[in-house]
Amino acid sequence: MTHAHITTWVIALILFFVTLSLQKTNSPKAKMMHMVLRLFYVLIIITGAILLYMLASIPPLYIVKVLVGLWVIGAMEMVVVRTRKGTRTQPAWIQLVIAFILVLYLGLKLPLGFHLF
Ligand code: HEM
């Protein structure tokens, strides 16, 4: 299941950059790609929830991991919406980078799946 979780967020990351590049060229496909990206947000949450369900108890660091995971999704959504509206994206990008580094660290530190840290 950790593989399914990793697959969903890697695909979401790719779709995120594809959506941004389609938006920059004003492509009509950008809206559709954004909808597919949103579907992947849901899949990330579902696979993450299944991982949580597999645990006998949920230590506090898992709660932090879930919140930071949701923060990554929120920041991605902010970047996409702000790019579409043409408003300032820098604060959203900064949040995205910080939250992404944190979530990778927490995910790889926690006991399921791979542990790099
Ligand atoms: C884009 C957002 C997210 C990213 C980049 C991300 C990244 C990761 C990574 C790298 C791992 C480690 C996998 C492994 O060790 O094999 C992981 C594990 C996990 N993730 Fe996420 N995640 C995200 C969102 C979420 C969300 C929203 C939830 C909860 C609903 C969640 C729950 C979990 C759980 C429970 C684990 C298992 C932790 C462990 O290794 O013991 N994740 N995630």
Side-chain angles (χ1 to χ4, degrees):
M1 188 42 72
T2 49
H3 288 101
H5 186 59
I6 295 173
T7 307
T8 53
W9 67 252
V10 169
I11 294 176
L13 203 64
I14 295 167
L15 291 173
F16 167 75
F17 286 109
V18 172
T19 305
L20 286 183
S21 65
L22 287 174
Q23 279 180 335
K24 282 191 181 130
T25 56
N26 283 323
S27 166
K29 288 189 184 137
K31 207 169 178 177
M32 183 202 70
M33 203 51 83
H34 190 188
M35 295 311 285
V36 182
L37 173 61
R38 283 176 169 157
L39 173 73
F40 272 82
Y41 294 157
V42 176
L43 294 177
I44 295 171
I45 294 171
I46 291 174
T47 51
I50 294 173
L51 283 171
L52 282 180
Y53 186 73
M54 284 161 55
L55 299 167
S57 69
I58 301 178
L61 206 53
Y62 273 87
I63 309 289
V64 180
K65 162 73 181 65
V66 170
L67 293 178
V68 179
L70 293 173
W71 183 22
V72 173
I73 293 174
M76 282 164 105
E77 185 61 15
M78 256 198 283
V79 171
V80 172
V81 171
R82 281 166 183 246
T83 305
R84 188 183 65 215
K85 288 184 179 165
T87 49
R88 226 161 75 89
T89 55
Q90 202 195 24
W93 273 109
I94 294 171
Q95 285 189 50
L96 180 57
V97 171
I98 295 172
F100 192 74
I101 293 169
L102 260 178
V103 90
L104 279 188
Y105 174 73
L106 288 170
L108 295 172
K109 188 181 162 65
L110 285 167
L112 297 179
F114 304 98
H115 6 82
L116 239 62
F117 302 105

